[in-house]
Amino acid sequence: MTGTPLTIGFIPLVDASALIVAVDKGFTAAEDLDVNLVREVSWSNVRDKLNIGLFDAAHLLAPVAIASTLGLSQVRVPILAPFNLGLNGNAITVSPALHAALMGEADGDPVNPMVTAKALARVVAARRKAGEEPLTFGMTFPFSTHNYQLRFWMAAGGVDPDEDVRLVVLPPPYMAESISNGHIDAFCVGAPWNSIAVDLGVGHILHFVSDILERAAEKVLAVREPWAQANPEVLVRLIRAHGRAADFIENPANRAEVSRILSAPDRIGVDPEVLQRTLDGRLKVSPDGKFRESRRYLLVGREGAARPDPAQAAWLYAQMIRWGQAAYSPEALETAKRVFRPDLYDTALGQSGQPPHGVRDGVGAFDGAPFDPSDIAGHLASVAIKRRPL
């Protein structure tokens, strides 16, 4: 094949589907791009290989793009995110024992995250009184939506995620095994690994992340800023190919084909039926076969999901401040927001303006407090549990 050679890293998750489909359906080749996809197991590998130039682009956790740009706990490498690979798509899965304990303490509908967060607080208190070890929750990376979503949910119910439970980092493909062998009691991860735990009978999906935040920027197509400046025309073609892929994936008539593509061993490597459940937003949530549907479970392209929203970057930066990973400054806030580049998206795809999505503040947190990306202080003042004041 001829064309501009590009090496792009990814983690085997369904929110890499636009990247995988863009290559495997020939959308990148149609843009004269010769893309080599490299499957990785950990986010630190993806981040480091992107930062040092082994990858030209990457499927990347949205908060990692911001943290890298701000130089938080790592070498400062400015990153741009001109395309969202997915909104939402995560879920919180708990062991059968913890599920039973939470249901026993739930006062109300357990589909409501506030009900389960308060139930978790009661479970935590009972375990402490009995002298038992703290519960252990798995998440994928300190600078990850999984970390912030777990913390946001727990803290709303009065659980301090640093004092009352343990949070540990695990690669996504290892979550089901870790809950099965008792190393963790619960985890937050992207698809398909929640479904794998349910199918193995070792977990119950407690919440879709779309229960906690209606629109949560999850993964982005990330490039280094110097690379983008040196290759503007290549970047346009790359965004365009991903736009075609997202449209293809969001067409229900293509879901079976997409699931087969994603199931290849060098892509995600799990059963196509599990992958199609994810794309359709219809997931088995308990080993007894109970299903639940949500039109917001994973957004790849519809409802403007692929267009980066700087308000989402501001929300992620606010969580970094809340949990002691970053100090606030107006300059850092503006830098974080500039990581998400709707202008590059619009130029490549010939669009303009934020598509309508019906979420009042672009985030839609379950606790009811609206988020203003220009008022981080107000957001942090509204929460009781945090590591540092603004």
Side-chain angles (χ1 to χ4, degrees), residues 30 110 238 377:
L238 189 62

Side-chain angles (χ1 to χ4, degrees), residues 221-287:
L221 177 68
V223 297
R224 297 181 310 285
E225 185 174 25
W227 184 92
Q229 292 170 344
N231 300 277
E233 190 263 341
V234 174
L235 183 58
V236 165
R237 287 186 276 145
L238 189 62
I239 296 169
R240 209 156 48 208
H242 281 75
R244 287 187 63 191
D247 289 344
F248 186 86
I249 292 161
E250 291 290 22
N251 184 341
N254 298 329
R255 294 276 171 77
E257 181 184 357
V258 170
S259 299
R260 289 193 298 272
I261 290 170
L262 300 180
S263 71
D266 60 343
R267 297 315 191 214
I268 298 177
V270 303
D271 191 284
E273 190 268 337
V274 174
L275 299 168
Q276 184 156 354
R277 278 189 243 153
T278 299
L279 293 169
D280 289 342
R282 182 175 183 271
L283 276 70
K284 186 164 69 172
V285 296
S286 65

Side-chain angles (χ1 to χ4, degrees), residues 8-360:
I8 303 179
F10 76 100
I11 296 285
L13 293 161
V14 179
D15 54 29
S17 59
L19 174 58
I20 295 168
V21 168
V23 175
D24 291 357
K25 281 295 292 181
F27 300 144
T28 50
E31 296 287 350
D32 198 30
L33 301 174
D34 181 7
V35 177
N36 174 35
L37 288 182
V38 179
R39 173 173 156 149
E40 290 285 353
V41 72
S42 76
W43 290 115
S44 57
N45 280 2
V46 174
R47 177 201 62 191
D48 293 347
K49 290 182 179 181
L50 176 65
N51 284 354
I52 66 175
L54 292 178
F55 292 154
D56 299 295
H59 167 230
L60 194 66
L61 289 160
V64 171
I66 297 167
S68 180
T69 301
L70 294 174
L72 301 177
S73 300
Q74 57 194 297
V75 175
R76 181 180 179 276
V77 179
I79 299 294
L80 300 182
F83 192 94
N84 276 343
L85 290 171
L87 295 182
N88 305 336
N90 293 337
I92 298 172
T93 295
V94 299
S95 69
L98 180 53
H99 184 263
L102 291 171
M103 295 305 101
E105 294 288 352
D107 182 14
D109 184 356
V111 173
N112 182 341
M114 190 63 78
V115 169
T116 57
K118 291 180 176 179
L120 178 65
R122 290 189 281 272
V123 170
V124 166
R127 291 176 66 93
R128 182 184 294 114
K129 185 176 181 180
E132 297 178 1
E133 288 289 310
L135 294 166
T136 301
F137 286 74
M139 48 86 174
T140 66
F141 204 68
F143 293 100
S144 73
T145 47
H146 318 85
N147 184 21
Y148 305 140
Q149 290 157 7
L150 276 174
R151 288 170 175 270
F152 194 84
W153 166 66
M154 291 176 182
V159 175
D160 189 316
D162 294 311
E163 300 292 336
D164 297 330
V165 299
R166 294 191 186 116
L167 295 179
V168 299
V169 172
L170 291 169
Y174 299 164
M175 293 291 187
E177 179 183 352
S178 296
I179 204 170
S180 175
N181 61 29
H183 289 169
I184 58 175
D185 300 287
F187 59 78
C188 182
V189 75
W193 305 108
N194 299 283
S195 294
I196 297 300
V198 173
D199 285 349
L200 291 173
V202 299
H204 293 251
I205 294 178
L206 185 67
H207 289 298
F208 300 164
V209 76
S210 53
D211 300 335
I212 297 168
L213 301 162
E214 290 185 73
R215 289 176 73 87
E218 179 54 37
K219 307 299 189 315
V220 296
L221 177 68
V223 297
R224 297 181 310 285
E225 185 174 25
W227 184 92
Q229 292 170 344
N231 300 277
E233 190 263 341
V234 174
L235 183 58
V236 165
R237 287 186 276 145
L238 189 62
I239 296 169
R240 209 156 48 208
H242 281 75
R244 287 187 63 191
D247 289 344
F248 186 86
I249 292 161
E250 291 290 22
N251 184 341
N254 298 329
R255 294 276 171 77
E257 181 184 357
V258 170
S259 299
R260 289 193 298 272
I261 290 170
L262 300 180
S263 71
D266 60 343
R267 297 315 191 214
I268 298 177
V270 303
D271 191 284
E273 190 268 337
V274 174
L275 299 168
Q276 184 156 354
R277 278 189 243 153
T278 299
L279 293 169
D280 289 342
R282 182 175 183 271
L283 276 70
K284 186 164 69 172
V285 296
S286 65
D288 66 7
K290 180 181 177 181
F291 277 78
R292 185 180 163 211
E293 295 188 36
S294 171
R295 67 183 181 86
R296 289 191 182 273
Y297 175 70
L298 172 63
L299 305 177
V300 176
R302 66 189 186 278
E303 298 184 29
R307 186 178 189 267
D309 182 356
Q312 290 280 338
W315 190 88
L316 292 169
Y317 174 60
Q319 308 319 301
M320 295 174 188
I321 298 166
R322 179 180 183 180
W323 300 114
Q325 294 176 322
Y328 173 78
S329 77
E331 297 78 15
L333 172 59
E334 290 307 310
T335 297
K337 290 164 68 174
R338 284 197 301 271
V339 171
F340 283 29
R341 295 293 300 272
D343 58 319
L344 296 176
Y345 176 95
D346 291 344
T347 296
L349 297 178
Q351 300 184 18
S352 63
Q354 178 67 44
H357 49 66
V359 178
R360 64 193 184 283

